[in-house]
Amino acid sequence: KYLFMLFSFPSPMFLGIGQMAATILILYVSKLNKIVHFPDFDKSIPVKLFPLPLIYVGNHISGLSSTSKLSLPMFTVLRKFTIPLTLLLEIIILGKRYPLSIIVSVFAIILGAFIAAGSDLSFNLEGYTFVLLNDIFTAANGVYTKQKIDPKELGKYGVLFYNACFMVVPTVIISFSTGDFQQVRNNIVCLRLIVVF
């Protein structure tokens, strides 16, 4: 939010690529130094993870894009929709059942968030679209992680590491092909900020 609002950073996708690269580097160095543990790559990992890498990059880019387009109060309100979406997906995909008290509590949280952001009634269709996509990707990520991943096999660090590994190159290709990378390159101030951070 700081980069987008104060420095008019032009590219959520480029920032996402930087975060993926940092995730890969930090987790790999941590694994080498035995700070964190996750399995070495083998050909079964992509099969175990799919579709999580796609959900991961969608979550990553839509989250950064929505942050750049919306005020913080409205962003917070719309992010609360992740909770009912997660409940809905868990009912559909995992077959879970929730008591009425939990469902009422979730809607009370959403109502409270709307009341808190009531003074900010600005409308930005692009920002609303990105944040609602981010809600969907976040909910799907949580549900599919529960369904597909045995924590004893990959663990949270393994999931993070391999999601970033599988998606950083396709995201770089998308950035180049859409002109996103050129937009950042042409903004010298932003490149200097990247070096600083």
Side-chain angles (χ1 to χ4, degrees):
K1 190 70 175 172
Y2 187 75
L3 283 174
F4 295 131
M5 297 305 288
L6 293 180
F7 296 103
S8 300
F9 190 80
S11 171
M13 189 179 301
F14 193 81
L15 189 60
I17 291 166
Q19 287 183 347
M20 284 184 234
T23 298
I24 293 166
L25 180 65
I26 290 167
L27 287 176
Y28 186 71
V29 169
S30 298
K31 178 179 167 63
L32 289 178
N33 290 299
K34 302 190 186 319
I35 297 168
V36 300
H37 305 284
F38 53 88
D40 294 329
F41 179 79
D42 68 63
K43 60 185 179 183
S44 71
I45 288 177
V47 175
K48 287 177 189 171
L49 277 179
F50 189 81
L52 284 174
L54 299 175
I55 294 169
Y56 167 82
V57 78
N59 190 16
H60 213 69
I61 302 305
S62 62
L64 290 169
S65 298
S66 61
T67 302
S68 68
K69 305 285 182 193
L70 295 173
S71 68
L72 196 54
M74 192 52 68
F75 175 79
T76 304
V77 166
L78 293 174
R79 285 292 289 144
K80 298 290 183 193
F81 280 100
T82 301
I83 303 166
L85 283 171
T86 301
L87 259 67
L88 182 64
L89 287 178
E90 285 185 350
I91 290 167
I92 294 169
I93 295 170
L94 301 180
K96 284 192 171 183
R97 293 288 173 257
Y98 290 98
L100 183 60
S101 59
I102 289 179
I103 295 169
V104 170
S105 298
V106 166
F107 284 101
I109 290 169
I110 293 172
L111 179 62
F114 272 112
I115 292 169
S119 61
D120 182 7
L121 298 176
S122 60
F123 182 78
N124 180 320
L125 180 61
E126 191 177 3
Y128 279 37
T129 303
F130 277 124
V131 79
L132 291 174
L133 280 172
N134 187 234
D135 292 344
I136 292 166
F137 283 125
T138 301
N141 185 62
V143 171
Y144 277 105
T145 299
K146 287 178 185 176
Q147 184 191 41
K148 296 182 71 71
I149 303 301
D150 181 353
K152 293 176 183 174
E153 287 185 37
L154 288 177
K156 62 181 178 181
Y157 297 117
V159 171
L160 272 174
F161 180 79
Y162 289 116
N163 276 341
C165 284
F166 295 147
M167 294 315 297
V168 71
V169 172
T171 308
V172 168
I173 292 168
I174 292 168
S175 179
F176 273 100
S177 65
T178 59
D180 183 76
F181 181 78
Q182 292 79 357
Q183 185 180 4
V184 173
R185 189 185 63 196
N186 293 337
N187 191 328
I188 297 192
V189 173
C190 289
L191 286 175
R192 287 178 183 160
L193 282 172
I194 291 167
V195 171
V196 168
F197 284 105

